[in-house]
Amino acid sequence: MVRLIFLGPPGAGKGTQAARVAAEFGIPHISTGVMLREAVGEGTELGLRAKEIMDAGQLVGDEIMLGIVKERLQQVDCRDGFILDGFPRTIPQAEALDDILLAESAPPVVIVNLEIGDQELIQRIQGRREEDNRDDDREETVRARLKVYNQKTKPLLDYYQDRVKALTGTGAPEEVFERLNGMLRDVASVREEKA
Ligand code: AMP
């Protein structure tokens, strides 16, 4: 059982790595960005509200996000673990998530921060813009997203303090995954020894 929170700036490769972890460990990949983009695509009320905010590179409100994530974590496929990608993004989201997860008698959550330098980050986002054509990968939106990350999300590293493990995000996706996989296997085996 792996319960994982995946932190890191936009463009660090969280989505790619989270998808691989989910496949490797057979756990759901919960990406709040993907969920919001689906809502936008379906034209739901949430989607209509979220689109403008996402296009501006800003954050959707904490209350809305918490509602979405709480509901998702209650689904049966999350019973044996999950990987959260893109949530939490603010201190209030992290506090609320702690309230949800610490209340359960499940193993502790592993918190990983995918670290990457600014220069590589911008190059990667530019590459993704060309490949995926994501609306929010436009240059001015990217700048806004990085600013929001620095202001609202980076403080989570202080919030989690020694609960967070650093993962070097530079290099090919395969190399990063090897490092991440090793880290998670270590955690899982320590748990088994203790059990
Ligand atoms: P992502 O795919 O994780 O980069 O998310 C894309 C966009 O969705 C973000 O720039 C935000 O506008 C919105 N979003 C995703 N997750 C959250 C969250 N936890 N809190 C607020 N907004 C979010």
Side-chain angles (χ1 to χ4, degrees):
M1 156 130 171
V2 181
R3 304 199 302 164
L4 184 66
I5 296 175
F6 214 28
L7 302 174
K14 290 194 302 293
T16 307
Q17 296 299 328
R20 297 179 80 147
V21 168
E24 177 80 16
F25 289 85
I27 51 177
H29 172 194
I30 304 177
S31 160
T32 45
V34 167
M35 291 165 92
L36 290 171
R37 281 190 289 281
E38 278 171 5
V40 171
E42 289 162 8
T44 62
E45 200 191 321
L46 166 68
L48 295 176
R49 281 161 80 180
K51 181 164 182 7
E52 225 171 293
I53 300 171
M54 292 168 78
D55 285 351
Q58 300 300 313
L59 296 181
V60 174
D62 289 335
E63 289 294 317
I64 293 179
M65 294 313 301
L66 263 166
I68 295 174
V69 169
K70 252 190 197 162
E71 194 182 304
R72 183 67 189 85
L73 288 175
Q74 278 166 1
Q75 288 171 22
V76 280
D77 62 338
C78 293
R79 261 201 317 231
D80 296 326
F82 52 80
I83 174 161
L84 268 177
D85 159 18
F87 185 96
R89 255 182 162 94
T90 65
I91 297 280
Q93 289 180 14
E95 287 172 344
L97 185 63
D98 265 346
D99 285 345
I100 299 170
L101 298 180
L102 296 177
E104 293 169 9
S105 56
V109 179
V110 182
I111 306 166
V112 173
N113 184 45
L114 191 55
E115 295 185 336
I116 187 159
D118 283 352
Q119 207 43 47
E120 191 160 353
L121 208 62
I122 289 165
Q123 280 172 3
R124 283 194 193 185
I125 297 180
Q126 278 167 351
R128 185 166 76 180
R129 183 162 58 217
E130 281 150 23
E131 270 176 32
D132 298 356
N133 209 4
R134 257 177 70 161
D135 280 351
D136 61 352
D137 277 343
R138 281 195 313 259
E139 198 167 336
E140 62 278 16
T141 311
V142 167
R143 242 180 274 128
R145 287 167 69 208
L146 286 174
K147 197 169 156 196
V148 166
Y149 169 78
N150 282 315
Q151 284 175 350
K152 305 243 172 90
T153 308
K154 222 176 176 182
L156 293 182
L157 298 177
D158 282 333
Y159 174 82
Y160 286 124
Q161 290 189 347
D162 47 4
R163 287 199 279 161
V164 60
K165 296 176 195 299
L167 173 70
T168 306
T170 44
E174 293 73 31
E175 289 169 51
V176 180
F177 182 67
E178 277 310 306
R179 288 195 283 268
L180 176 56
N181 199 13
M183 195 184 246
L184 296 175
R185 300 254 169 238
D186 281 350
V187 175
S189 66
V190 168
R191 269 182 202 155
E192 270 167 30
E193 277 166 28
K194 277 189 187 159

